[in-house]
Amino acid sequence: MERVENALVEHRLDAEGADFLLLAGVNDANIQELARLFGIRVVLRGDQVILSGELESIERAVPVIQHLIELARLRAPFETRDVARFVDEFEGRGRPPALPTEDGIRIALPGRRRVITPKSSGQAAYLEEIRDRDIVISIGPAGTGKTYLAVAAAVDALYRKRVKRIILARPAVEAGENLGFLPGDLQEKVDPYLRPLYDALGDMMPTDRVQRAIEDRTIEIAPLAYMRGRTLSDAFVILDEAQNATTAQMKMFLTRLGLNSKVVITGDKTQIDLTNKDDSGLLQVERILQNIDGISLVYLDAQDVIRHRLVKDIIRAYAEADEGEATQ
């Protein structure tokens, strides 16, 4: 680093081989975001990225920009909103986000002609555990990709014929699993609680294909209570919103596991809607299943949030408020 006028520091980073259009972003949006986040000046010149600003700000910015340069060299796409997330990973977790590699997990969805890749190191670890374990329990706040990535992995397994069917379940806790007072037939009664699962599927498969798969029961979406008494073989099974499953329901669900099946359980411990929070089956399995070989617990946090940047700030604000109440 070298000093420039007004006691500012100038630092140059080698970006040879990087895709400068990808690095800079549309209308230099990535460069502008970096400048805003760190309060520095960022200029692309030749094969270099030139930073100027206060020493402390430059030191914070360098590892983040080096990460962006590596992504641009690999031609790995990223968006302007990802820049702030990379900063959080470096400063919140003290380690860089995962770089895509040739053997990294990439989920190709032929029906949508899309490739889904993890957006954070936590998401990368989550997908690796889904690949390697029979039962994965994912715990984390909203927006971290728990359900979305699980559904993507399930669709990928179905396309590759590793399983014969996908089963998606949710506890309809808002209606106490007693849906009789709601208008309409059974499907109309449970649809409001299962809609997020339909939405995730619709994002990964053409609508007509989803409809055919549901009609021939290749894909089944149902309330958790309807899993009782079944054996789920050759299936990729996802239990979503598991914090609202009771301990009895969770035991029932886990013991449905059949041959050649994979189970992913997702939940958020801060969103328990049960009258007695201690009845949550998610809290129980977190305690009692930690040391069983073949079962993995994955924790995602605010650094893994991939929704609007404000979601991350909202999650942190609520967490701080909860901690404050706990200490009073």
Side-chain angles (χ1 to χ4, degrees):
M1 294 188 188
E2 56 187 67
R3 292 279 176 181
V4 296
E5 58 181 317
N6 298 326
L8 298 181
V9 171
E10 183 177 280
H11 185 64
R12 295 170 182 258
L13 294 172
D14 178 24
E16 183 178 359
D19 182 332
F20 272 71
L21 290 176
L22 178 58
L23 180 59
V26 178
N27 296 324
D28 291 339
N30 297 340
I31 298 302
Q32 293 171 15
E33 180 71 353
L34 286 166
R36 183 189 69 81
L37 289 169
F38 294 107
I40 61 176
R41 187 165 177 261
V42 184
V43 176
L44 303 184
R45 186 175 299 156
D47 286 335
Q48 292 186 324
V49 180
I50 303 172
L51 317 177
S52 56
E54 295 182 356
L55 177 60
E56 182 180 351
S57 298
I58 296 293
E59 289 177 339
R60 290 176 54 221
V62 164
V64 177
I65 298 174
Q66 285 178 327
H67 181 71
L68 297 182
I69 290 171
E70 288 303 315
L71 289 175
R73 283 177 174 146
L74 293 168
R75 306 300 192 268
F78 58 90
E79 301 177 17
T80 301
R81 65 180 181 178
D82 293 325
V83 175
R85 184 166 51 77
F86 295 153
V87 173
D88 282 342
E89 287 234 20
F90 274 99
E91 299 189 345
R93 286 182 169 158
R95 65 175 186 265
L99 281 170
T101 60
E102 288 299 320
D103 58 350
I105 295 182
R106 297 164 62 88
I107 299 176
L109 302 173
R112 288 294 189 193
R113 296 184 179 179
R114 292 179 52 204
V115 175
I116 294 176
T117 57
K119 297 289 189 180
S120 68
S121 54
Q123 288 190 350
Y126 178 34
L127 283 177
E128 287 173 3
E129 292 301 308
I130 291 176
R131 178 191 62 193
D132 298 337
R133 308 286 183 175
D134 290 332
I135 298 177
V136 175
I137 303 167
S138 174
I139 299 174
T144 51
K146 303 184 301 295
T147 303
Y148 191 84
L149 293 175
V151 173
V155 171
D156 182 57
L158 186 64
Y159 274 131
R160 295 174 182 269
K161 301 188 184 304
R162 292 173 178 165
V163 296
K164 294 180 180 178
R165 54 185 172 155
I166 295 173
I167 298 174
L168 309 175
R170 258 191 171 199
V173 69
E174 295 88 345
E177 294 283 6
N178 180 7
L179 305 173
F181 69 89
L182 294 174
D185 60 21
L186 175 63
Q187 198 62 45
E188 291 170 331
K189 292 174 192 289
V190 301
D191 264 2
Y193 309 108
L194 305 178
R195 178 50 51 189
L197 298 175
Y198 284 104
D199 291 344
L201 276 174
D203 201 35
M204 297 174 197
M205 298 173 67
T207 304
D208 59 338
R209 186 171 296 183
V210 172
Q211 190 59 42
R212 288 199 306 270
I214 291 174
E215 288 173 356
D216 66 19
R217 302 185 71 79
T218 302
I219 295 177
E220 182 179 348
I221 306 176
L224 174 59
Y226 288 71
M227 297 296 105
R228 188 176 302 278
R230 303 180 58 186
T231 300
L232 307 176
S233 301
D234 294 309
F236 196 119
V237 190
I238 299 173
L239 173 58
D240 193 35
E241 297 289 338
Q243 74 275 2
N244 290 326
T246 66
T247 54
Q249 288 174 330
M250 184 66 77
K251 180 180 178 182
M252 175 273 293
F253 174 77
L254 286 170
T255 54
R256 300 307 94 201
L257 182 66
L259 295 175
N260 190 41
S261 287
K262 186 178 290 287
V263 169
V264 177
I265 297 170
T266 71
D268 178 355
K269 294 190 292 183
T270 69
Q271 298 290 328
I272 299 173
D273 295 321
L274 297 171
T275 304
N276 183 357
K277 293 182 187 293
D278 292 335
D279 288 339
S280 172
L282 183 66
L283 298 182
Q284 183 186 53
V285 296
E286 183 186 20
R287 293 194 307 268
I288 69 175
L289 300 184
Q290 287 189 13
N291 299 318
I292 297 180
D293 187 33
I295 299 178
S296 174
L297 270 78
V298 178
Y299 292 90
L300 301 174
D301 57 31
Q303 274 74 43
D304 301 300
V305 171
I306 56 172
R307 292 180 184 170
H308 193 286
R309 63 178 182 82
L310 288 177
V311 173
K312 190 177 301 185
D313 295 334
I314 291 168
I315 289 169
R316 286 174 175 158
Y318 271 99
E320 290 171 3
D322 290 342
E323 288 175 5
E325 291 174 3
T327 57
Q328 289 179 1

